[in-house]
């Protein structure tokens, strides 16, 4: 996971990585939030052993220190000369490791240190990266990542919604933890109406009407798509009809806009190395730059499916990468197997679904009827 919080380009990225016990498959780790579970006990033990290890290591290195914090079982390893803090905590059956925000240039320079301190330490204490039993998320500051540019924010959200195969197929396949808008007609219909309302507000502002901020655009899309529930709203635990109707869809979606200050992309599997995290964040930053520089508004082209055949997903992912200005050879390794990489390399090139200025994909008659029925409440 990484989150972006930059007041000027380029953004900074704050990573979050997750690790679980190596035998978690036999420990019912999905129930590991229960303090009495074996999975939770093993994570706690590993967490404590790693603390002792970091204290010994910093004592011998001399360039870092450890601050134990009782709050939520977290401790922080600080490298003051490099401006880097590593926070180690517990989230249910997993250990979460957070790193203070870094630009990609700073993160690249710190790669050897962070690879050793995080993945090296976790491996020593019986913790592994598992693509099934844990997940990766990417957070970004609304105002900072988009610099107050509402159209940039709007286009980024539409681009993410248009490409469920990227976050539900290439980066991860955890539908329960990162559900796409695609494949859920009622959610899609509401999303389309919310974007239409946002476009009307943007047009009104361009004609001299009231200005609209990124924060207001976020709320318009979030409330319009999922109802009135807001993560930081004190009423969000109530059970009042619309308030919680789409709560599960909202939080556990590819695009979580419920937070007041940050957006969250949840469709990432845990990174197997710091180098993989750098690769993913470089792609997201490049994609945000492409969206900003594309001009105009990206049309909604949400497919009727959220998964495609593996080769088709690979073709769409390749188009997404290359359209963002990056080298496909750097990203083909993110496909699940060498065989699939070869098939995608040999497959015909296809255009990206979100290319600016292109004609939207035609919807089948049945698809149009399905969306219209949902829109009118039938």
């Amino acid at each position: 996971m990484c989150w972006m919080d930059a007041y000027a380009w380029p953004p900074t990225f704050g990573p979050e990585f997750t690790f679980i016990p190596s035998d978690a498959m036999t420990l019912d780790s999905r129930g590991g939030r229960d303090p009495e579970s074996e999975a939770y006990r093993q994570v706690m033990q590993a967490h404590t052993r790693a603390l002792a290890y970091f204290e010994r290591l910093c004592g011998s290195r001399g360039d870092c220190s450890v601050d134990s914090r009782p709050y939520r079982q977290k401790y922080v390893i600080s490298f003051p000369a490099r401006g880097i803090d590593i926070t180690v905590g517990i989230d249910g059956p997993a250990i979460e490791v957070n790193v203070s925000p870094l630009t990609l240039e700073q993160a690249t320079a710190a790669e050897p240190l962070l690879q050793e301190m995080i993945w090296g330490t976790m491996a020593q204490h019986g913790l592994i990266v598992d693509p099934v039993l844990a997940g990766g998320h990417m957070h970004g500051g609304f105002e900072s990542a988009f610099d107050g540019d509402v159209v940039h924010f709007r286009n980024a959200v539409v681009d993410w919604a248009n490409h469920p195969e990227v976050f539900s197929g290439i980066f991860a396949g955890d539908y329960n933890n990162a559900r796409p808008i695609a494949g859920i007609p009622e959610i899609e219909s509401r999303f389309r109406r919310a974007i239409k309302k946002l476009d009307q507000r943007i047009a009104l502002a361009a004609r001299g009407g009231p200005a609209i901020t990124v924060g207001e655009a976020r709320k318009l899309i979030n409330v319009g798509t999922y109802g009135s529930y807001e993560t930081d709203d004190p009423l969000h635990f109530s059970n009042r009809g619309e308030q919680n109707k789409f709560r599960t869809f909202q939080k556990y979606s590819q695009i979580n806009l419920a937070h007041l200050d940050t957006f969250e992309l949840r469709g990432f599997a845990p990174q197997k190395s710091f180098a993989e995290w750098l690769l993913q964040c470089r792609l997201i930053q490049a994609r945000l730059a492409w969206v900003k520089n594309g001009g105009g508004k990206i049309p909604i082209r949400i497919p009727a499916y959220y998964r495609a055949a593996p080769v088709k997903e690979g073709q769409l992912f390749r188009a997404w990468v290359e359209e963002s200005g990056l080298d496909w050879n750097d990203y083909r390794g993110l496909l699940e197997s060498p065989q699939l990489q070869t098939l995608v390399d040999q497959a015909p090139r296809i255009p990206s679904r979100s290319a600016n200025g292109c004609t939207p994909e035609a919807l089948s008659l049945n698809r149009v009827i399905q969306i219209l029925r949902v829109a009118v409440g039938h």
Side-chain angles (χ1 to χ4, degrees), residues 4 6-11 144-147 152 284-289 292:
M4 296 176 288
Y7 293 98
W9 203 265
S144 56
F146 300 104
D147 246 355
H152 184 200
I284 296 304
Q285 177 173 306
R287 190 65 186 179
L288 285 172
K292 183 174 179 62

Side-chain angles (χ1 to χ4, degrees), residues 9-338:
W9 203 265
T12 56
F13 296 90
E16 179 181 321
F17 307 110
T18 57
F19 301 86
I20 63 172
S22 57
D23 57 349
M25 288 295 289
T26 65
L27 298 177
D28 187 25
S29 69
R30 288 191 180 276
R33 293 183 185 277
D34 179 0
E36 302 300 320
S37 71
E38 178 63 16
Y40 190 89
R41 185 185 68 81
Q42 288 203 16
V43 167
M44 282 292 297
Q45 290 178 344
H47 184 264
T48 302
R49 291 196 304 270
L51 170 60
Y53 172 79
F54 282 126
E55 289 174 334
R56 293 193 303 271
L57 183 63
C58 287
S60 61
R61 287 179 61 105
D63 64 343
C64 59
S65 61
V66 180
D67 177 18
S68 299
R69 299 184 180 185
Y71 174 66
R72 295 190 67 180
Q73 302 160 328
K74 291 184 178 180
Y75 51 85
V76 180
I77 303 96
S78 297
F79 291 83
R82 306 188 68 160
I84 295 175
D85 289 336
I86 303 171
T87 302
V88 183
I90 295 177
D91 182 13
I95 283 185
E96 284 190 356
V97 181
N98 297 268
V99 181
S100 51
L102 301 167
T103 65
L104 282 175
E105 182 179 1
Q106 293 169 331
T108 300
E111 179 182 354
L113 171 69
L114 295 176
Q115 178 67 33
E116 173 192 355
M117 294 294 291
I118 300 174
W119 280 265
T121 300
M122 296 300 112
Q124 287 186 45
H125 295 88
L127 295 161
I128 63 170
V129 172
D130 188 286
V132 176
L133 298 182
H137 310 149
M138 182 177 292
H139 292 261
F142 284 112
E143 296 294 344
S144 56
F146 300 104
D147 246 355
D149 187 335
V150 176
V151 174
H152 184 200
F153 167 66
R154 177 255 186 228
N155 280 346
V157 172
V158 170
D159 187 56
W160 295 327
N162 282 346
H163 291 275
E165 71 281 343
V166 173
F167 298 107
S168 285
I170 304 301
F171 288 150
D174 188 354
Y175 181 81
N176 290 327
N177 196 46
R179 296 174 180 174
I181 290 174
I184 310 174
E186 186 170 2
I187 295 294
E188 180 186 336
S189 178
R190 294 173 66 97
F191 177 77
R192 287 175 179 272
R193 292 201 303 268
I195 294 297
K196 182 177 180 179
K197 289 181 181 178
L198 175 57
D199 288 345
Q200 291 170 345
R201 285 288 310 275
I202 292 172
L204 179 62
R207 295 194 300 268
I212 181 170
T213 67
V214 170
E216 290 170 333
R218 174 211 66 82
K219 185 171 184 178
L220 193 157
I221 297 174
N222 183 55
V223 172
T225 304
Y226 299 104
S228 60
Y229 161 65
E230 295 264 284
T231 296
D232 296 316
D233 185 330
L235 298 177
H236 82 272
F237 288 112
S238 69
N239 292 307
R240 299 179 183 176
E242 183 84 352
Q243 181 90 355
N244 268 352
K245 182 176 180 182
F246 299 113
R247 180 178 177 185
T248 299
F249 290 104
Q250 181 190 49
K251 175 176 173 57
Y252 298 104
S253 65
Q254 288 181 357
I255 312 166
N256 180 2
L257 302 179
H259 302 285
L260 300 184
D261 299 318
T262 63
F263 63 87
E264 179 183 21
L265 303 178
R266 296 180 61 87
F268 290 89
Q271 293 77 12
K272 297 183 288 294
S273 67
F274 193 74
E276 182 177 313
W277 175 81
L278 283 173
L279 197 66
Q280 293 174 346
C281 287
R282 187 172 293 113
L283 175 56
I284 296 304
Q285 177 173 306
R287 190 65 186 179
L288 285 172
W290 176 85
V291 167
K292 183 174 179 62
N293 297 328
K297 294 176 182 175
I298 295 177
I300 297 176
R301 299 195 187 100
I302 300 173
Y305 53 84
Y306 74 91
R307 291 299 304 269
V311 173
K312 179 66 175 296
E313 286 187 343
Q315 289 173 291
L316 289 167
F317 181 56
R318 181 174 187 173
W320 208 65
V321 168
E322 292 183 335
E323 187 177 58
S324 303
L326 298 176
D327 188 341
W328 170 243
N329 290 322
D330 293 336
Y331 287 88
R332 61 191 297 276
L334 294 179
L335 301 181
E336 64 184 23
S337 69

